[in-house]
Amino acid sequence: MFQDRKQIILSFFFLVCGIYLLRLLYLQVIDDQYHTIGSTGALKKEVQIPLRGQIYDRNGKLLVANVDVYDMYVTPYKVKQMDTSMFCRLFNISRTYFDSTMAVAKSYSRNRETLFLRQLSKEDYARVADAMVSFPGFRFELSFFRTYPAHTMSNALGYIGEISKKAYEDQEVEYYRSGDYVGITGLEKQYEMELRGRRGVKFTMMNVHGENKGSYSDGEFDTLAVIGKNLYTTVDVEIQQLADSLFQGKTGCAVAIEPATGEVLAIGSYPYYDPNILSGKQFAKNFKELYRNPDKPLNDRVATGFFRPGSTFKLVQALVALQLGAIAPSTAFPLGGAPVKCHNHPGSPNDLHNAVRFSCNPYFYNVFRKTMSETSETNPFKAAPIMLSKWHEMVEKFGYGQKLGIDLPSESSGLLPSVKYYDKRYGAFQWKFSNIYSLSIGEGEVSVNMLKMANLAATIANRGYWVTPHLVRGIGQNGRGLKPDQKQIHRTEIDSRHFEAIIGGMQDAVERGTVGGGAGIVEGIAICGKTGTSQNKKGKDNSVFIAFAPRYNPKIAIAVMVQNAGFGGSVAAPIATLMIEKYLNRVIKRTAIKERMLNLSIRTVESMAAGGASKDLRSLSPQSNKPTISEPTAPKSKPQSEPVKVIKTTFVKPKETNLNSTK
């Protein structure tokens, strides 16, 4: 019995050994694939970087394109004895740069490729290609850098840069390599997955001497690079460039939206800079200059800035009061008895129409007071939280106190004060209307970005609803790929019939009200607008204007803010109406107003504190379309670079508020 078991075990053992020997014979003698690997000695993997997708405006004009360049990579263990001086002369770099970059590459990995030199032009590559046989361990890879033919929309388009060390290490699926470019801000970051494309891989057989022995397995395992998908934006570049020119010498922002669709027609934060200066080898130098500029051009004032809405908020107050029944279009209030002063306008606003037309502070103080008093509670400390809760719920429907959902990565929510906010500040049942009345005219604790102001104009133009603002209308050749929530319709709780009461006043405000001097009148176009004067702790007030046009079947809604420019009708309104005129008529006939705005320069408090006007940011070391070899800054750490941080404008609530100059 024992002998039988022994024979069985031995037979099984010899059978397994025989199978392994036969398999080894097949792999080493019969199969050509493995025989080739054994004879040649190495398999080389070459990564093919696809071109990044391009970006176009709504009319097919190119906003962002690519220029082909070559990047040089080094594998330290392959670098043998070489003429370092000749190498440095060939590439116009110093010995210090060579030594420090090699040290970084070796500390990163002796066996893995590391980026050594970026962005050689095609001409430079052709000049040095033949000489590379003398420098083993170095190789070139076709790459690209971004170029911006329209020279505009720097904040919204964003820029690309090397992947940060943290992002590189946090990849769930390994895709990026050290030194790869990724979107850092703006649309470049928001649509990174679509724009980047899919990289290809090519396997090549190499012998022990490093000579190319042909494609591995006839290219069976090779994959082709797939170019990134193009973005087709909603922006009209002609309107965008007009805004750029009108904001020369000024600080602020402008945004225009198509009310019916939520498509953003123009979006500019000023002072702006030519986006080409953050593309190429001068990135670090130019970014430092932008960062230090006192007018903070890196701030995206449209989507991330915090500002008081000023008198534009009176429109929301009126609509909420109308819906709640606190007032009617014919409701009149006396000018006296309010803690906010009135402007010098003819007569007493005897109805809502004229209150909007002349932006009457006491009128809207009383509107908010009536809204807060529509309750059976007699104790004002208990009544205020009850009505503020309802007020907050209705105002929130306009998009205040939340993100609107625009396809940009850094949108701010702003602040819409709630019962919880005031309870924390004053204590539960320790505050009443007299503590919050500054909200009536858009001052105090409420803060918004300019995107929300433009969205308010679009909501009024639509008589009660708004569509999620978005910058991209199509992705790829078929123009599809947008998420459903990017075109979502949001409805307020305001009946459409209530809007006409304020829209008539808005048209009169432009034609014979707070805009004044005919600066807002465009022949043949009924523009409905509202001026605002947003207060500053330092310097003159911010000039604010929101509008839509035409009055019926509106095509454009707009918001403009110019810092330290005073009343809303003085500077913001002319800029906004010029943009409306250009968009609807495609030509500007009011040349005198245009010239006045082009030549008007306003120094901000920041610029004055810095001792003068800011440098023209459009001419900082512009990048040529043909990069040349120049010595880059020697890296001080491993090749992965941390992303640069963009400064964000923040809202700081002042301790005291002057409520007598909002218009």
Side-chain angles (χ1 to χ4, degrees):
M1 177 67 73
F2 176 77
Q3 289 296 327
D4 292 341
R5 290 181 178 177
K6 182 178 179 181
Q7 288 294 329
I8 293 172
I9 293 172
L10 287 174
S11 297
F12 179 76
F13 175 77
F14 286 122
L15 177 63
V16 172
C17 289
I19 292 173
Y20 273 103
L21 288 172
L22 289 172
R23 180 60 178 167
L24 188 61
L25 175 69
Y26 173 79
L27 293 177
Q28 292 191 346
V29 178
I30 300 175
D31 192 342
D32 290 339
Q33 175 177 314
Y34 289 90
H35 175 71
T36 304
I37 294 177
S39 64
T40 56
L43 189 64
K44 181 180 180 182
K45 177 182 177 182
E46 296 181 25
V47 176
Q48 298 175 329
I49 303 297
L51 288 176
R52 201 167 173 87
Q54 300 188 135
I55 304 178
Y56 298 85
D57 87 332
R58 69 190 293 114
N59 299 312
K61 295 181 179 179
L62 195 58
L63 298 176
V64 185
N66 303 298
V67 173
D68 289 347
V69 291
Y70 289 87
D71 293 338
M72 178 190 286
Y73 287 81
V74 61
T75 306
Y77 89 90
K78 294 182 179 180
V79 178
K80 308 301 181 183
Q81 292 292 333
M82 56 178 280
D83 188 338
T84 306
S85 298
M86 177 182 173
F87 183 91
C88 291
R89 287 195 303 272
L90 187 66
F91 290 98
N92 191 28
I93 61 175
S94 67
R95 181 61 184 264
T96 301
Y97 177 83
F98 179 90
D99 292 340
S100 59
T101 306
M102 286 298 299
V104 169
K106 290 176 182 178
S107 66
Y108 172 65
S109 173
R110 295 186 60 87
N111 301 313
R112 297 175 64 182
E113 286 186 332
T114 300
L115 182 66
F116 186 87
L117 197 60
R118 274 204 186 279
Q119 298 183 354
L120 275 70
S121 68
K122 291 181 179 179
E123 293 80 5
D124 287 325
Y125 169 74
R127 180 174 59 83
V128 302
D130 291 341
M132 295 309 295
V133 68
S134 303
F135 306 111
F138 295 89
R139 76 170 186 88
F140 290 105
E141 186 175 282
L142 183 63
S143 184
F144 65 91
F145 79 93
R146 295 297 241 180
T147 183
Y148 304 84
H151 306 277
T152 188
M153 285 182 64
S154 49
N155 292 95
L157 292 174
Y159 57 86
I160 62 174
E162 289 186 25
I163 186 171
S164 69
K165 182 177 181 180
K166 184 178 186 305
Y168 174 78
E169 294 174 347
D170 290 348
Q171 295 181 83
E172 294 183 4
V173 178
E174 188 173 348
Y175 177 84
Y176 297 106
R177 301 170 302 166
S178 168
D180 278 354
Y181 282 127
V182 297
I184 303 295
T185 62
L187 293 179
E188 293 278 19
K189 179 179 180 180
Q190 185 75 17
Y191 290 94
E192 167 66 19
M193 298 298 289
E194 291 81 4
L195 287 168
R196 76 181 188 185
R198 188 175 71 242
R199 65 185 47 181
V201 178
K202 182 179 180 181
F203 295 97
T204 305
M205 301 300 301
M206 310 294 291
N207 65 15
V208 293
H209 301 292
E211 297 171 339
N212 189 327
K213 304 301 291 183
S215 177
Y216 167 60
S217 192
D218 293 326
E220 180 182 353
F221 300 98
D222 295 351
T223 58
L224 294 176
V226 178
I227 296 175
K229 296 178 181 178
N230 295 332
L231 299 185
Y232 298 91
T233 72
T234 62
V235 172
D236 186 324
V237 73
E238 291 187 23
I239 309 303
Q240 183 71 46
Q241 290 173 335
L242 172 63
D244 293 349
S245 64
L246 294 173
F247 265 91
Q248 290 182 36
K250 308 171 189 66
T251 300
C253 49
V255 57
I257 298 174
E258 186 177 68
T261 63
E263 294 184 352
V264 176
L265 303 173
I267 180 168
S269 180
Y270 303 99
Y272 80 106
Y273 56 91
D274 186 342
N276 288 289
I277 69 177
L278 290 186
S279 177
K281 297 178 181 179
Q282 298 299 318
F283 175 92
K285 173 180 176 293
N286 290 337
F287 184 87
K288 185 180 295 185
E289 290 197 41
L290 293 172
Y291 183 89
R292 292 175 175 175
N293 188 283
D295 286 326
K296 301 177 177 61
L298 290 174
N299 284 5
D300 181 2
R301 292 172 169 85
V302 173
T304 65
F306 288 159
F307 307 98
R308 291 191 178 94
S311 288
T312 62
F313 199 64
K314 294 173 182 177
L315 302 175
V316 180
Q317 296 285 23
L319 290 167
V320 170
L322 287 168
Q323 183 65 30
L324 292 175
I327 64 169
S330 59
T331 299
F333 293 108
L335 295 181
V340 290
K341 294 181 180 180
C342 193
H343 307 296
N344 296 321
H345 53 73
S348 173
N350 54 8
D351 58 13
L352 179 58
H353 175 103
N354 284 306
V356 172
R357 173 187 171 191
F358 295 117
S359 193
C360 181
N361 286 338
Y363 188 95
F364 288 99
Y365 164 84
N366 283 291
V367 167
F368 190 47
R369 181 179 59 81
K370 284 279 290 182
T371 302
M372 291 293 101
S373 63
E374 291 298 312
T375 175
S376 58
E377 292 283 353
T378 56
N379 186 332
F381 292 100
K382 292 184 177 181
I386 295 173
M387 290 311 299
L388 188 70
S389 295
K390 181 62 178 176
W391 174 88
H392 185 279
E393 177 185 336
M394 296 180 71
V395 175
E396 198 174 36
K397 298 286 187 180
F398 286 84
Y400 288 85
Q402 60 183 301
K403 294 182 179 180
L404 299 181
I406 190 172
D407 46 351
L408 287 174
S410 56
E411 182 191 0
S412 64
S413 299
L415 174 62
L416 180 65
S418 61
V419 172
K420 182 178 180 181
Y421 175 90
Y422 287 119
D423 282 349
K424 184 177 180 179
R425 182 174 179 181
Y426 296 106
F429 302 112
Q430 299 299 310
W431 55 275
K432 54 184 178 178
F433 176 74
S434 61
N435 299 111
I436 64 173
Y437 71 82
S438 58
L439 296 177
S440 63
I441 56 174
E443 298 294 339
E445 295 79 14
V446 63
S447 70
V448 299
N449 56 37
M450 289 306 294
L451 179 64
K452 285 186 174 62
M453 292 197 194
N455 195 63
L456 171 61
T459 304
I460 297 173
N462 291 334
R463 276 68 170 175
Y465 71 90
W466 52 278
V467 184
T468 303
H470 54 281
L471 276 162
V472 173
R473 69 193 316 190
I475 302 175
Q477 291 184 349
N478 59 14
R480 299 177 182 176
L482 294 183
K483 298 178 182 178
D485 59 359
Q486 287 182 272
K487 295 186 177 181
Q488 184 177 352
I489 295 177
H490 308 263
R491 300 191 181 278
T492 65
E493 294 184 359
I494 312 299
D495 295 339
S496 59
R497 60 188 174 90
H498 293 311
F499 286 86
E500 291 305 322
I502 66 167
I503 288 175
M506 292 174 68
Q507 184 173 348
D508 271 356
V510 174
E511 296 178 357
R512 50 196 184 97
T514 53
V515 174
I521 299 176
V522 180
E523 184 179 355
I525 301 176
I527 299 177
C528 303
K530 180 72 188 74
T531 55
T533 308
S534 179
Q535 296 176 5
N536 284 322
K537 291 180 67 176
K538 298 179 180 179
K540 294 180 65 176
D541 296 332
N542 296 333
S543 177
V544 180
F545 183 71
I546 69 171
F548 67 88
R551 176 170 178 173
Y552 301 104
N553 192 24
K555 303 296 184 184
I556 181 173
I558 194 167
V560 171
M561 186 275 295
V562 184
Q563 289 183 216
N564 302 124
F567 286 116
S570 60
V571 181
I575 291 176
T577 57
L578 286 168
M579 292 174 65
I580 290 173
E581 182 181 4
K582 176 68 174 178
Y583 181 69
L584 296 179
N585 293 343
R586 307 313 299 178
V587 64
I588 294 177
K589 295 183 179 180
R590 301 179 301 156
T591 55
I593 294 176
K594 179 181 177 181
E595 288 300 317
R596 179 161 61 87
M597 289 299 106
L598 288 174
N599 295 325
L600 177 64
S601 180
I602 299 172
R603 295 175 65 194
T604 64
V605 173
E606 291 81 3
S607 293
M608 290 185 284
S614 302
K615 178 185 284 189
D616 186 349
L617 303 172
R618 293 165 293 157
S619 59
L620 284 177
S621 303
Q623 176 68 48
S624 168
N625 285 341
K626 294 184 178 180
T628 57
I629 300 176
S630 60
E631 181 179 338
T633 304
K636 298 180 181 179
S637 58
K638 293 187 177 182
Q640 302 95 333
S641 61
E642 294 295 330
V644 289
K645 296 182 179 179
V646 176
I647 314 167
K648 295 184 178 179
T649 305
T650 56
F651 169 79
V652 180
K653 184 181 71 63
K655 296 180 180 179
E656 297 181 358
T657 303
N658 177 8
L659 302 174
N660 297 324
S661 62
T662 302
K663 187 173 182 179

